[in-house]
Amino acid sequence: MLKEKLIIIITLVMLLCACNMQEQQTQLAQIKAQNKIRVGTLASASNYYQAVQGEQGFEYELSQAFADYLGVELEIVPFFNLSDMFERLESGDLDIIASGLTYNKVRAQQYRYGPTYRTISQKLVYKQGRVRPREFDDLDGNFTVIAKSSHSLTLQKIKKSNPDLTWQETEELDEEELLQAVIDGEIDYTLADSHTLSLFRRYHPNLSIGFSVTRNDPIAWILNKSKDDSLYALLVPFFGEVKQSNQLYVLEEKYFGHVRQFNYVNTLAYIEAIKETLPTYRPWFEQYAGSLDWRLLAALSYQESMWNPRAKSPTGVRGIMMLTRSTAKQVGVTNRLEPEQNIRGGAKYLAKLVKRIPDRIPQPDRTWLALAAYNVGWGHVNDARIITEQQGASPDKWADVKKRLPLLIKKRYYRKTRYGYARGDVAVKYVDNIRRYYDALVWLDENNALAPEPETPKVEKAAQPSKEPVNNDKTEPTPSLSPEEKSKQGENNTQQSQ
């Protein structure tokens, strides 16, 4: 009996010791022991979302990079409101919040911020058609923001010097839903972060900016406040490394680089064309896309011709995909003004360019490089890739090559290249435009907001083209030409840009 009691006492002591040891274990040691880090984020287009190709989002990829840095698995935990996310952090169910949240002194009293890695601004937004408010005193309707958000904290600070300022708060809607509520006329005003607004206005151009409420707000990850510095201590070298290695810039370019510029008239015209014109040609985009995404093909076509089958550039490229006579001959197009033929030929040519990209280059960089080649010629793109490598960056990443393409207009650079002068700056804008058009199409399609396509495309048959001179070609330029001749031979005409 005594022996059994002794065994029970020893067992209890061992359990208590084990519990104490676990309590004394650092946060980093626990993460290592569990082989996972738990990261909370608000589900959104800028943070985290599920796509056809899997999990996507700026904060998701940055969190994955940190998990790799620690040598553990990432457990991403999406949330739909801030209250739940912060409660889970406080309870210890999350290690970090990575959700594009800005630094705030009030919040910093309760939580610990990591290093700043981006800056944004907060904008007051309203629907086009209302009188533009230029300050808070101009507001004359329902003003709603997310409860316990950075927007709410900002307004509380402003109210100290502007006591008449009033607003409502909600936990039922996220930032994008509030923006949609403005579009739908359910509320009159809200606040939005600049990056979220840029993404949203790709397909809702009627959302307008009244004024900037804040500028250059620092963004950082958030941890629990404690004396345990084990995890926080690794955030500093991690962010230093992703900045130094250009990894952070590549992520910013991937998710936000193409939406920095906004043109209201152009975007509005595009949305209208999606409703009125795209249904006519959509069956052919789908039929001839092959391994390409038909929506990418359609976006490329809009950038080239605004879906005008009779489009013609000053240099002679023609049709809905703007093919040169030489390129048309390569891909079997006999009448460039016949839209079905032109779409089939453009799809075939783009597919050829994608295949020409080195196999080691992953998506989406392969596609962006191919689109640049469609505009300026693969030879010029490859020249930019060589310059990129010479400058110590990656020739396989569009974000890095994009920086160097504009150098091809400078003599000190193009005179040392194989194919010479090219309007690389135009190619960069060209790809950015297509990416915006593509993103909008994808969003509208996935939200069942595209107009139904007709059963059979009905297009007036175009007249046979008259004799045309041989103009610039979207094929490899000839190295023996002068820089100016190479440019004409190797780059496409300047497209309709924003």
Side-chain angles (χ1 to χ4, degrees):
M1 187 72 177
L2 182 62
K3 185 178 179 180
E4 290 177 355
K5 287 182 178 179
L6 189 60
I7 291 173
I8 292 172
I9 292 172
I10 292 172
T11 303
L12 289 171
V13 170
M14 289 177 67
L15 287 171
L16 287 171
C17 290
C19 289
N20 287 333
M21 287 178 64
Q22 190 170 5
E23 287 176 4
Q24 294 170 3
Q25 204 175 33
T26 66
Q27 185 179 13
L28 180 61
Q30 291 177 32
I31 289 170
K32 292 281 190 179
Q34 297 169 358
N35 193 36
K36 70 177 180 181
I37 182 168
R38 300 159 301 175
V39 178
T41 191
L42 290 175
S44 72
S46 56
N47 293 332
Y48 170 82
Y49 59 94
Q50 288 282 353
V52 175
Q53 60 270 42
E55 295 172 304
Q56 298 283 301
F58 178 88
E59 293 294 347
Y60 166 72
E61 291 204 37
L62 194 57
S63 299
Q64 183 62 66
F66 185 54
D68 294 341
Y69 182 80
L70 297 179
V72 299
E73 298 293 323
L74 170 66
E75 181 182 323
I76 197 81
V77 186
F79 289 87
F80 298 95
N81 67 68
L82 287 165
S83 296
D84 290 347
M85 187 162 62
F86 278 105
E87 284 177 12
R88 290 282 294 276
L89 180 67
E90 291 170 8
S91 69
D93 288 339
L94 294 176
D95 297 303
I96 289 175
I97 286 177
S99 195
L101 298 178
T102 57
Y103 175 85
N104 183 275
K105 288 183 179 179
V106 174
R107 191 175 279 157
Q109 294 174 3
Q110 187 174 358
Y111 305 100
R112 189 174 196 176
Y113 282 89
T116 296
Y117 57 95
R118 294 184 68 222
T119 59
I120 61 168
S121 59
Q122 296 179 32
K123 310 287 188 183
L124 185 132
V125 296
Y126 67 103
K127 186 178 180 180
Q128 186 78 17
R130 293 184 63 93
V131 176
R132 177 185 175 184
R134 298 182 182 275
E135 56 185 22
F136 285 113
D137 289 342
D138 294 336
L139 304 188
D140 60 354
N142 181 294
F143 180 23
T144 304
V145 301
I146 300 172
K148 301 179 182 178
S149 64
S150 300
H151 304 151
S152 172
L153 296 174
T154 296
L155 293 176
Q156 290 172 31
K157 181 179 179 181
I158 293 173
K159 188 173 177 62
K160 293 178 181 179
S161 57
N162 192 343
D164 293 333
L165 176 62
T166 60
W167 68 92
Q168 295 180 355
E169 299 193 3
T170 178
E171 287 190 305
E172 299 302 315
L173 303 176
D174 61 25
E175 192 170 12
E176 290 190 6
E177 288 174 324
L178 277 176
L179 293 175
Q180 185 64 54
V182 173
I183 291 293
D184 295 339
E186 296 171 2
I187 62 175
D188 300 301
Y189 312 98
T190 190
L191 292 188
D193 292 336
S194 52
H195 61 294
T196 302
L197 185 59
S198 295
L199 292 170
F200 195 80
R201 290 211 293 175
R202 291 170 299 178
Y203 36 83
H204 284 303
N206 283 324
L207 203 63
S208 296
I209 298 172
F211 55 91
S212 293
V213 178
T214 65
R215 299 180 187 274
N216 298 319
D217 293 343
I219 289 179
W221 286 355
I222 299 176
L223 298 81
N224 256 329
K225 259 197 174 179
S226 72
K227 295 179 180 180
D228 182 356
D229 292 332
S230 58
L231 185 61
Y232 176 84
L234 289 179
L235 286 177
V236 177
F238 166 72
F239 278 104
E241 184 174 302
V242 295
K243 288 177 181 178
Q244 184 68 28
S245 66
N246 229 24
Q247 189 175 2
L248 188 61
Y249 165 76
V250 170
L251 276 180
E252 288 177 344
E253 167 57 35
K254 177 178 179 179
Y255 288 100
F256 310 115
H258 60 299
V259 295
R260 292 191 181 105
Q261 300 298 321
F262 175 78
N263 183 301
Y264 171 74
V265 174
N266 181 284
T267 307
L268 194 65
Y270 178 57
I271 298 300
E272 187 66 26
I274 288 174
K275 296 176 183 177
E276 301 296 331
T277 310
L278 178 60
T280 300
Y281 304 108
R282 176 176 171 179
W284 289 328
F285 289 129
E286 292 179 333
Q287 180 180 349
Y288 296 114
S291 60
L292 302 170
D293 187 333
W294 76 266
R295 298 166 298 189
L296 177 71
L297 197 62
L300 167 62
S301 176
Y302 187 82
Q303 169 62 24
E304 289 282 356
S305 69
M306 295 185 176
W307 295 325
N308 176 7
R310 295 178 179 273
K312 179 180 179 179
S313 79
T315 52
V317 288
R318 306 205 69 172
I320 197 167
M321 301 295 290
M322 294 296 269
L323 301 177
T324 65
R325 178 173 287 181
S326 178
T327 301
K329 185 176 180 181
Q330 287 182 40
V331 293
V333 173
T334 58
N335 182 355
R336 291 179 295 164
L337 298 185
E338 204 287 306
E340 182 180 5
Q341 277 196 51
N342 205 287
I343 290 171
R344 184 189 68 217
K348 188 175 180 180
Y349 182 64
L350 180 60
K352 286 174 64 176
L353 289 172
V354 173
K355 288 181 181 178
R356 197 169 186 181
I357 307 297
D359 291 339
R360 67 177 180 274
I361 300 179
Q363 291 289 11
D365 298 86
R366 291 178 65 82
T367 297
W368 309 149
L369 289 167
L371 289 175
Y374 195 103
N375 174 256
V376 81
W378 172 245
H380 291 310
V381 173
N382 213 32
D383 281 344
R385 293 180 66 239
I386 292 170
I387 295 173
T388 302
E389 189 169 29
Q390 290 171 345
Q391 294 186 352
S394 173
D396 296 344
K397 292 180 179 176
W398 168 246
D400 289 338
V401 178
K402 177 182 179 179
K403 276 185 173 181
R404 279 80 185 181
L405 265 168
L407 298 179
L408 296 179
I409 65 175
K410 298 182 179 182
K411 189 173 183 179
R412 69 178 181 272
Y413 290 102
Y414 74 66
R415 69 181 180 181
K416 298 176 183 178
T417 64
R418 184 179 181 190
Y419 297 106
Y421 175 91
R423 290 300 306 274
D425 55 334
V426 172
V428 168
K429 293 177 182 177
Y430 175 89
V431 175
D432 282 350
N433 288 347
I434 294 172
R435 289 177 63 185
R436 280 196 297 275
Y437 297 146
Y438 175 61
D439 285 352
L441 268 183
V442 169
W443 187 90
L444 291 168
D445 188 24
E446 292 180 351
N447 286 274
N448 300 314
L450 289 181
E453 58 187 277
E455 293 182 5
T456 304
K458 296 178 181 179
V459 183
E460 180 185 351
K461 190 172 181 180
Q464 290 291 331
S466 58
K467 284 188 177 181
E468 299 169 307
V470 177
N471 292 286
N472 66 305
D473 201 352
K474 297 175 182 176
T475 58
E476 206 69 71
T478 305
S480 60
L481 299 178
S482 68
E484 289 75 16
E485 290 171 324
K486 292 173 192 174
S487 170
K488 291 179 182 179
Q489 190 76 352
E491 71 172 284
N492 186 18
N493 62 295
T494 302
Q495 307 299 333
Q496 296 91 345
S497 59
Q498 294 182 329

